[in-house]
């Protein structure tokens, strides 16, 4: 039952959706950030560790969907890894609950340099609807320096994929012209 | 229904909760519940929570011909109340959480260690009348003592290896066999209850929708029904049908997801890929029909925030047809691969008597002989006018929990088609009047029954609320189900339960 179905799939068209194009402005901003922080560049592939810093689990559903067959993030060299020690990117969701803050900081401490930090979801951006509660900090940026935010409640798999692809593009982007001092 | 405990509760003073009455008992009567409950094992404890000076319990009479809820309360004196955990093991985590959130302690409770409070908040007992702001050092978790020889421990989490929610699992292992699992949760505690209190139901609905994102519709619906019952509001018929449609779509999407993930945890990738695709089809249909892939914030008190998009039935029916045609071949593949069956059959057995003692709902209960389904036992509209089958198995293993899910997906597909066929044009929202009242609602989400209680003050503002996720009574059973299994089978067992962290961490 399985083999004939696998065989059929082998000769059929892939079910995977077409690749999204990351927005130029985001790529450019990331490239500038890369330059400004004089970080070593990573290659054409990124190992991603997802850290749930107290989400409602909606964001996790969409991250998992992005790893599924239709979005298939691995075709771009984006891979979810099991340990922060293997990661180039920390993809953080949730408002950062006070009970998760130390775990997030320790996860960052375990991640080798260079490391991108992505705040995914409205909660991770600034605490979202939970902002102001005694139980949460106000988003990832209140704990760690954030390189990229992907808003949405939850962000769609496509939005997540676009965000992660801009990280890849930024590595390749030509060196940005010197930006006027801020 | 009658029995020692239910009679005792009904002798208390009625408080006007709808549709099931809440009785206020004196402390001594409440303390007497402990003996009475021991004599009435069919009175199951579903929920236990507090207000600054009182505690409330919800019971379900499982022995009665027509199941009904019975609520009992008692005032705390000296920040104490009589514990129920000596006779109802499901009360343990509630009592620990009540101590952390409201600062009330369970006298005679079997476990008084902190639960949600890890010593990281700027306040203690944040929901009590006078929260304390004295700084405390972070608490070192205390685990149960281990005796015997040749054991070691494996601490896992809060950051897990997969893309899942955070929590800590402490495995005590002899050789490869787990002799004890102890969970420590609370990492996703966001103080949600404190954000809901003092707001109107309409304003607080967005927190109900974010208690647990995967079951957002079910939580939002239980919350809305509680508010509507409290204020005597009748949502329009079209909204009633569409809400149930969404509830079933959520069930279908989650069950497909879990089925795939369970196979994946046994390193069998094909069903995972296929189920993921089918589930994605449902989510895209949700987005086309209701404007959001998870249908977040669509169910609100009084009805719906948006109507079904014009032509929105078509994508839903197409996604269901795709899922339906794949279920049979996928089931055959699931059943005929020894490498997969070897992992799921006989793994993580939850014995029926334990499931009954904890009143476990959802696929966890129904795979272990407890047939309770709120859609049949305590139906709200439109389920009161529908008939459908509830699958019940008694094996209690990972396989049984998968089979219950598969059977439920098939029924849900049928239900959605019937609901959409019955749909008539009309309004989808009826504003709530600004008035006081108290209500309780039970909604069968994909994990099991959600029990939400709400009390509104005279201005229609939430005085107190407690949404009880089904995982409260399922998490402790996972500790029992993994015992005697090998460590490598934990992901399978865990996924077959798929309890919510955020839903119980509040
Ligand atoms: S952004 Fe939305 S979906 Fe993500 S964790 Fe926050 S509330 Fe949940």
């Amino acid at each position: 039952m399985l083999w004939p179905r696998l065989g059929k799939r082998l000769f059929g068209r892939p079910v995977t959706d077409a690749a999204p194009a990351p927005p130029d402005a985001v790529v450019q901003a990331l490239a500038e950030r890369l330059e400004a922080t004089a970080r070593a560049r990573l290659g054409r592939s990124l190992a991603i560790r997802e850290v749930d810093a107290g989400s409602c689990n909606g964001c996790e559903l969409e991250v998992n969907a992005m790893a599924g067959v239709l979005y298939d993030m691995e075709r771009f060299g984006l891979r979810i890894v099991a340990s922060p020690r293997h990661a180039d990117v920390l993809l953080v969701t949730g408002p950062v609950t006070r009970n998760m803050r130390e775990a997030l900081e320790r996860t960052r401490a375990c991640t080798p340099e260079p490391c991108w930090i992505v705040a995914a979801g409205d909660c991770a951006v600034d605490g979202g609807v939970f902002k102001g509660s005694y139980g949460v900090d106000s988003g990832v940026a209140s704990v760690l320096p954030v390189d990229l935010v992907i808003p949405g409640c939850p962000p769609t798999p496509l939005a997540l994929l676009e965000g992660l692809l801009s990280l890849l593009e930024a590595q390749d982007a030509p060196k940005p012209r010197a930006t006027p001092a801020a | 229904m009658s029995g020692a405990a239910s009679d005792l509760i009904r002798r208390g003073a009625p408080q006007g909760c709808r549709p099931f009455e809440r009785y206020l008992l004196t402390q001594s009567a409440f303390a007497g519940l402990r003996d009475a409950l021991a004599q009435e094992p069919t009175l199951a404890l579903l929920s236990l929570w507090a207000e600054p000076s009182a505690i409330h319990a919800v019971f379900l009479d499982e022995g009665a011909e027509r199941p009904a809820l019975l609520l009992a309360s008692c005032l705390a004196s000296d920040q104490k109340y009589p514990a129920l955990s000596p006779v109802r093991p499901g009360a343990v985590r509630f009592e620990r959480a009540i101590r952390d959130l409201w600062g009330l302690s369970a006298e005679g409770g079997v476990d008084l260690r902190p639960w949600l409070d890890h010593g990281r908040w700027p306040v203690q007992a944040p929901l009590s009348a006078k929260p304390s702001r004295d700084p405390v050092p972070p608490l070192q978790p205390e685990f149960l003592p281990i005796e015997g020889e040749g054991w070691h421990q494996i601490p896992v989490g809060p950051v897990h290896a997969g893309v899942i929610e955070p929590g800590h699992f402490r495995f005590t292992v002899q050789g490869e066999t787990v002799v004890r699992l102890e969970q420590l949760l609370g990492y996703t505690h966001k103080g949600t209850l404190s954000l809901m209190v003092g707001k109107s139901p309409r304003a607080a609905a967005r927190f109900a929708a974010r208690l647990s994102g995967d079951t957002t519709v079910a939580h939002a619906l239980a919350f809305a029904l509680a508010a509507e019952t409290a204020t005597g509001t009748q949502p329009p018929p079209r909204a009633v049908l569409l809400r149930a449609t969404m509830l079933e779509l959520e069930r279908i999407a989650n069950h497909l997801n879990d089925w795939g993930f369970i196979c994946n945890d046994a390193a069998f990738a094909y069903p995972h890929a296929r189920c993921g695709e089918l589930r994605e089809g449902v989510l895209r249909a949700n987005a086309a029909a209701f404007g959001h892939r998870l249908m977040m914030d669509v169910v609100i008190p009084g009805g719906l925030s948006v109507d079904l998009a014009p032509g929105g039935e078509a994508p839903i029916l197409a996604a269901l047809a795709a899922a339906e045609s794949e279920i049979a071949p996928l089931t055959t593949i699931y059943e005929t691969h020894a490498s997969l069956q070897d992992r799921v059959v006989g793994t993580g057995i939850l014995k029926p008597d334990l499931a009954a003692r904890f009143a476990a709902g959802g696929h966890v209960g129904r795979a272990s002989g407890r047939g309770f389904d709120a859609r049949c036992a305590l139906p709200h509209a439109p389920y009161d006018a529908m008939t459908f089958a509830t699958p019940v198995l008694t094996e209690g293993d990972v396989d049984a929990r998968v089979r219950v899910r598969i059977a439920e997906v098939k029924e849900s597909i049928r239900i959605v088609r019937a609901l959409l066929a019955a749909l008539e044009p009309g309004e989808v929202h009826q504003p709530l009047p600004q008035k006081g009242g108290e209500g309780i609602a039970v909604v069968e989400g994909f994990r099991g029954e959600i029990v939400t209680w709400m009390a509104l003050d005279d201005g229609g503002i939430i005085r107190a609320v407690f949404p009880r996720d089904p995982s409260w009574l399922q998490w402790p059973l996972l500790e029992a189900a993994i015992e005697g299994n090998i460590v490598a089978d934990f992901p399978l067992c865990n996924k077959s339960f798929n309890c919510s962290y955020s839903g119980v961490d509040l």
Side-chain angles (χ1 to χ4, degrees), chain A residues 54-59 93-95 120-124 129-130 152-155, chain B residues 210 296:
Chain A
S55 85
C56 77
N57 82 28
C59 284
T93 66
D122 289 350
C123 285
V129 298
F130 302 104
C153 183
Chain B
R210 286 163 182 76
M296 224 173 225

Side-chain angles (χ1 to χ4, degrees), chain B residues 137-153:
Chain B
L139 297 171
Q140 274 308 311
E142 255 181 78
F143 294 97
L144 296 174
I146 309 289
E147 285 166 24
E149 282 182 14
W151 57 267
H152 68 283
Q153 289 196 320

